Amino acid sequence: MPELPEVETLCRDLSQTILGRSFLGARAFWEKSLVLDDCRVEDAVGGKVTDVMRRGKFLSILLDNDFVLTIHLRMSGRIIAEKSEDGLDYERVRLIFSELNLKFCDMRKFGRVWLSKMNNYEKFTGIWKLGIEPLEKTDYKVLKGQKGIVKKVLLDQSVYAGIGNIYADEACFYAGIRPDTRIETLNDRELKRLFEGVKKALNQGIRNRGTSISDFHDAYGKSGKNQEVLFVYGRGKDDCLRCGASLKKGKLAGRTTVWCERCQK
DNA sequence: CGATAGACCTGTTTGC
DNA sequence: TGCAAACAGGTCTATC
């Protein structure tokens, strides 16, 4: 579910709803889902939320007592923010704030919630390894000097942070570039096109409040709309919406990949 | 170095 | 119909 646009949607929702609230505690219903950086949950209790920020696919909640809660949803993670005390299906961790519960639900248990001190959270969570934010002041030149097929480079979080399988395929389609092209064979104009494709795919995802394939929800439990405007992802057996040719499906960089051989050269 | 398989998990879809 | 294999938005580690 969660790539940059989905996490950004969540980040904006949470900023609206938890800024200023006090952190009152946490409960882990699945041990591994909550990871403590040499501290106890009680150490962080009492801190007020000063900021909610996204980096790549990570979401961090900053407290004014020097602690940070960081969340990565991996494949099936969700966050639901609500006052209710009721448990939810697959709820793995509950973060309790004044007048609000953040329920981290994660069927497949790959996701994580980390608690650490401000000065170590990037190292503790792995955020330090991330590359550039593709939507911030930057340009296509980051792609110069990269090696390997385009799909692999786009999925590499240490190049651009936040692109996943859906938006990588959509970006290649918008750019008119085959995802199995070796990136070192692309000229500057093509690299620029690829980068513009990445931005277009991600910005559209954000505008649509995320892609809800089997069930992405924002913090209030509502679905996004981006699945309605995908050109290639998940359409391996269908025809190209632009030219009508049958789409091609294959495995690249270990992930199912779909593209149009006529529209993408 | 790179590409691939296996782990981590559970649920749903596909194919024989 | 039924059951097993394949697959799912991610990422880390081991192996060849």
Coordinates of all heavy atoms in Angstrom, one line a residue, chain A residues 1 57 72 211 214 233 255-256, chain C residues 6-13:
Chain A
M1 N 0.8 -1.2 0.0 CA 0.0 0.0 0.0 C 0.8 1.3 0.0 O 0.5 2.2 -0.7 CB -0.9 0.0 1.2 CG -1.4 1.4 1.6 SD -1.1 1.8 3.3 CE -1.8 0.5 4.2
K57 N 9.4 6.8 2.5 CA 8.2 6.2 3.0 C 8.1 6.1 4.5 O 7.3 5.4 5.1 CB 8.2 4.7 2.4 CG 8.2 4.7 0.9 CD 8.4 3.3 0.4 CE 8.7 3.3 -1.1 NZ 9.1 2.0 -1.6
H72 N 7.1 2.9 9.6 CA 7.2 2.5 8.2 C 6.1 1.4 8.0 O 6.1 0.4 8.7 CB 8.6 1.9 7.9 CG 8.8 1.8 6.4 ND1 8.0 1.1 5.6 CD2 9.8 2.3 5.7 CE1 8.5 1.2 4.3 NE2 9.6 1.9 4.3
T211 N -3.1 5.7 -3.7 CA -3.7 4.6 -4.5 C -4.2 3.5 -3.6 O -3.5 3.0 -2.8 CB -2.5 4.0 -5.4 OG1 -2.0 5.0 -6.3 CG2 -3.1 2.8 -6.3
S214 N -5.8 -2.7 -2.8 CA -6.7 -3.6 -2.1 C -7.3 -2.9 -0.9 O -8.2 -3.4 -0.3 CB -6.1 -4.9 -1.8 OG -5.6 -5.0 -0.5
Y233 N 0.3 -0.1 -14.0 CA 0.4 -0.9 -12.8 C -0.9 -1.7 -12.7 O -2.0 -1.2 -12.7 CB 0.6 -0.1 -11.5 CG 0.6 -1.0 -10.3 CD1 1.8 -1.7 -9.9 CD2 -0.6 -1.3 -9.6 CE1 1.8 -2.6 -8.9 CE2 -0.6 -2.1 -8.6 CZ 0.6 -2.8 -8.2 OH 0.5 -3.7 -7.1
R255 N 10.4 -7.6 -9.1 CA 9.0 -7.1 -8.9 C 8.2 -7.2 -10.3 O 8.8 -7.0 -11.3 CB 9.0 -5.6 -8.5 CG 9.9 -5.3 -7.3 CD 9.6 -6.1 -6.1 NE 8.3 -5.8 -5.6 CZ 7.9 -4.7 -4.9 NH1 8.8 -3.8 -4.6 NH2 6.7 -4.5 -4.5
T256 N 7.0 -7.5 -10.2 CA 6.1 -7.6 -11.3 C 6.1 -6.2 -12.0 O 5.9 -5.2 -11.3 CB 4.7 -8.0 -11.0 OG1 4.7 -9.3 -10.5 CG2 3.8 -7.9 -12.2
Chain C
dA6 P 4.5 -22.0 -7.9 OP1 5.2 -22.3 -9.2 OP2 5.2 -22.0 -6.6 O5' 3.7 -20.6 -8.0 C5' 2.6 -20.5 -9.0 C4' 2.1 -19.1 -8.9 O4' 1.2 -19.0 -7.8 C3' 3.1 -18.0 -8.8 O3' 2.8 -17.0 -9.6 C2' 3.0 -17.7 -7.3 C1' 1.5 -17.9 -7.0 N9 1.2 -18.2 -5.6 C8 1.8 -19.0 -4.7 N7 1.2 -19.0 -3.6 C5 0.1 -18.2 -3.7 C6 -0.9 -17.9 -2.8 N6 -1.0 -18.3 -1.6 N1 -1.9 -17.1 -3.3 C2 -1.8 -16.6 -4.6 N3 -0.9 -16.9 -5.5 C4 0.1 -17.7 -5.0
dC7 P 3.8 -15.7 -9.7 OP1 3.9 -15.4 -11.2 OP2 5.0 -16.0 -9.0 O5' 3.0 -14.6 -9.0 C5' 1.7 -14.4 -9.2 C4' 1.1 -13.4 -8.1 O4' 0.9 -14.2 -6.9 C3' 2.1 -12.3 -7.8 O3' 1.6 -11.1 -8.1 C2' 2.3 -12.5 -6.3 C1' 1.1 -13.3 -5.8 N1 1.4 -14.2 -4.7 C2 0.5 -14.2 -3.6 O2 -0.5 -13.4 -3.7 N3 0.7 -14.9 -2.5 C4 1.8 -15.7 -2.5 N4 1.9 -16.4 -1.3 C5 2.7 -15.7 -3.5 C6 2.5 -15.0 -4.6
dA8 P 2.6 -9.8 -8.0 OP1 2.4 -8.9 -9.2 OP2 4.0 -10.2 -7.7 O5' 2.1 -9.0 -6.7 C5' 0.8 -8.5 -6.6 C4' 0.5 -8.0 -5.2 O4' 0.2 -9.1 -4.4 C3' 1.8 -7.4 -4.5 O3' 1.8 -6.0 -4.8 C2' 1.5 -7.6 -3.0 C1' 0.6 -8.8 -3.1 N9 1.3 -10.0 -2.6 C8 2.4 -10.6 -3.1 N7 2.8 -11.7 -2.4 C5 2.0 -11.7 -1.4 C6 1.9 -12.6 -0.2 N6 2.7 -13.6 0.0 N1 0.9 -12.4 0.7 C2 0.1 -11.3 0.5 N3 0.1 -10.5 -0.5 C4 1.0 -10.7 -1.4
dG9 P 3.0 -5.4 -5.8 OP1 2.4 -5.4 -7.1 OP2 4.2 -6.3 -5.6 O5' 3.4 -4.0 -5.3 C5' 2.5 -3.1 -4.8 C4' 3.1 -1.9 -4.3 O4' 2.1 -1.2 -3.6 C3' 4.1 -2.1 -3.2 O3' 4.9 -0.9 -3.0 C2' 3.3 -2.4 -2.0 C1' 2.1 -1.6 -2.2 N9 0.8 -2.3 -2.1 C8 0.7 -3.7 -2.0 N7 -0.6 -4.1 -1.9 C5 -1.3 -2.9 -1.8 C6 -2.7 -2.6 -1.6 O6 -3.6 -3.4 -1.5 N1 -2.9 -1.3 -1.6 C2 -2.0 -0.3 -1.8 N2 -2.5 1.0 -1.7 N3 -0.7 -0.5 -1.9 C4 -0.4 -1.8 -1.9
dG10 P 6.4 -1.0 -2.8 OP1 7.0 0.3 -2.6 OP2 6.8 -1.9 -3.9 O5' 6.6 -1.9 -1.5 C5' 6.3 -1.3 -0.2 C4' 7.4 -1.5 0.8 O4' 7.5 -2.9 1.2 C3' 8.8 -1.1 0.2 O3' 9.5 -0.4 1.2 C2' 9.4 -2.5 -0.1 C1' 8.8 -3.4 1.0 N9 8.6 -4.8 0.6 C8 8.1 -5.2 -0.6 N7 8.1 -6.5 -0.6 C5 8.6 -6.9 0.6 C6 8.7 -8.3 1.2 O6 8.5 -9.3 0.6 N1 9.2 -8.2 2.4 C2 9.5 -7.1 3.1 N2 10.0 -7.2 4.4 N3 9.4 -5.8 2.6 C4 8.9 -5.9 1.4
dT11 P 10.9 0.3 0.9 OP1 11.0 1.5 1.7 OP2 11.1 0.4 -0.6 O5' 11.9 -0.8 1.4 C5' 12.0 -1.0 2.8 C4' 12.9 -2.1 3.2 O4' 12.3 -3.4 2.7 C3' 14.3 -2.1 2.6 O3' 15.2 -2.4 3.7 C2' 14.3 -3.2 1.6 C1' 13.4 -4.2 2.3 N1 12.8 -5.3 1.5 C2 12.8 -6.5 2.0 O2 13.2 -6.7 3.2 N3 12.3 -7.5 1.2 C4 11.9 -7.4 -0.1 O4 11.5 -8.4 -0.7 C5 11.9 -6.1 -0.6 C7 11.5 -5.8 -2.0 C6 12.4 -5.1 0.2
dC12 P 16.7 -1.9 3.7 OP1 16.7 -0.6 4.5 OP2 17.2 -1.9 2.3 O5' 17.3 -3.0 4.5 C5' 16.7 -3.5 5.7 C4' 17.1 -5.0 5.9 O4' 16.3 -5.8 5.0 C3' 18.6 -5.2 5.6 O3' 19.2 -5.9 6.7 C2' 18.5 -6.1 4.3 C1' 17.2 -6.8 4.4 N1 16.7 -7.1 3.1 C2 16.3 -8.4 2.8 O2 16.3 -9.2 3.7 N3 15.8 -8.7 1.5 C4 15.8 -7.7 0.6 N4 15.3 -8.1 -0.6 C5 16.2 -6.4 0.9 C6 16.6 -6.1 2.1
dT13 P 20.7 -6.2 6.6 OP1 21.2 -6.0 8.0 OP2 21.4 -5.4 5.5 O5' 20.9 -7.7 6.3 C5' 20.1 -8.7 7.0 C4' 20.3 -10.0 6.4 O4' 19.6 -10.2 5.1 C3' 21.8 -10.3 6.1 O3' 22.1 -11.6 6.6 C2' 21.9 -10.4 4.6 C1' 20.5 -10.7 4.2 N1 20.0 -10.2 2.8 C2 19.5 -11.1 2.0 O2 19.3 -12.3 2.2 N3 19.1 -10.5 0.8 C4 19.2 -9.2 0.4 O4 18.8 -8.9 -0.7 C5 19.8 -8.4 1.4 C7 20.0 -6.9 1.0 C6 20.2 -8.9 2.5

